[in-house]
Amino acid sequence: MDALSNRLAAFLRLMRSSALLIADGDRANMDVLLTMLGALDKDIVESYFGLRNQAPQSVEQLAAKHHISVEQMQHIIDTDLRRIAISPEWQMMWRKLPELVKKRAEAMRL
């Protein structure tokens, strides 16, 4: 995973773990960005990060659910994150986030 995708993944983990830190508007904007992936890919990313008030699912669980290999599922997740991470919409959203949110997200990077 490249640096931009890793930053986005860290933000998504923070979004899951901190209900108060991420503003409702930022959650809505992220939902729009995920919708740009298409319904299936949005479901995969939301399930992987546990964004719908459920526990995050592992790559193995998602691969079994969708009847594909773990490697294929990891590739899908990585590709989806990259597609969002390089979008101008995410770049603008990141720049506008409060410094506290950026610092917390950076602390959650892999």
Side-chain angles (χ1 to χ4, degrees):
M1 193 180 311
D2 64 30
L4 292 174
S5 299
N6 199 346
R7 177 186 285 171
L8 173 62
F11 177 78
L12 292 172
R13 284 191 294 277
L14 180 63
M15 205 168 105
R16 176 194 70 230
S17 67
S18 181
L20 299 176
L21 192 59
I22 308 300
D24 290 340
D26 293 329
R27 289 180 187 279
N29 288 338
M30 184 52 65
D31 186 59
V32 170
L33 288 174
L34 292 173
T35 300
M36 291 175 11
L37 296 172
L40 180 58
D41 288 89
K42 179 182 180 189
D43 178 64
I44 289 169
V45 172
E46 287 178 337
S47 297
Y48 181 71
F49 287 99
L51 298 180
R52 290 178 289 187
N53 297 322
Q54 86 267 3
Q57 293 183 353
S58 69
V59 175
E60 293 79 11
Q61 290 170 314
L62 290 167
K65 176 182 175 182
H66 293 282
H67 308 289
I68 60 175
S69 72
V70 172
E71 293 79 19
Q72 288 172 311
M73 181 55 68
Q74 187 64 59
H75 179 73
I76 290 168
I77 292 168
D78 291 345
T79 301
D80 288 342
L81 289 176
R82 178 73 180 159
R83 285 174 57 200
I84 295 172
I86 64 172
S87 73
E89 294 85 358
W90 164 248
Q91 296 298 316
M92 185 181 351
M93 184 177 163
W94 177 259
R95 283 192 299 272
K96 291 182 177 182
L97 288 172
E99 285 303 313
L100 177 62
V101 173
K102 290 178 184 179
K103 286 180 183 177
R104 293 274 175 94
E106 291 293 332
M108 297 187 91
R109 289 178 83 166
L110 296 174

